[in-house]
Amino acid sequence: MQMFAKKRIEILIERAVLKRLTDELERTGVSGYSVAPLAGGRGRAGRWEADGQIGDAAGMFALWCIVDAARLDDLLQVVFAIVARQVGLVSVSDVQVVRPERF
């Protein structure tokens, strides 16, 4: 097995702009990402929960992707152009991706 240094970008964002975000990630060549609904949390505006909402149009989602460090700055500009105008959070961390040697 080999380990490769990468950057993990995690984005918490409102459902209303999730499609716009995923469209932009795909347009910029991000080859994969995952999305999951969030049940609740606490932020600057206080505590929130998804329970009791009518539908999921106002819900929050977590999206994460793993990219090469060389692409990080350009990708963050694309992400922040969308997230900066909404309720959301972007975090970046160092990760190691494990692959077989013949990958």
Side-chain angles (χ1 to χ4, degrees), residues 5-99:
K6 301 286 183 176
K7 297 291 184 177
R8 176 183 167 153
I9 304 170
E10 187 166 341
I11 306 159
L12 307 181
I13 193 164
E14 296 172 293
R15 177 173 188 97
V17 291
L18 180 61
K19 181 168 179 0
R20 196 164 99 217
L21 177 62
T22 57
D23 287 349
E24 282 298 304
L25 291 176
E26 291 172 19
R27 186 188 64 75
T28 60
V30 171
S31 61
Y33 57 83
S34 296
V35 177
L38 299 174
R42 182 175 172 83
R44 286 184 295 184
R47 188 175 178 174
W48 64 273
E49 292 182 11
D51 286 348
Q53 292 183 13
I54 299 172
D56 60 358
M60 296 290 291
F61 284 75
L63 180 147
W64 59 95
C65 60
I66 297 174
V67 299
D68 289 327
R71 299 192 57 210
L72 183 63
D73 289 339
D74 291 338
L75 192 54
L76 286 178
Q77 287 184 8
V78 170
V79 168
F80 268 100
I82 297 168
V83 177
R85 293 178 260 157
Q86 306 293 324
V87 173
L89 173 76
V90 177
S91 65
V92 176
S93 55
D94 294 319
V95 297
Q96 296 287 322
V97 174
V98 179
R99 294 190 179 135

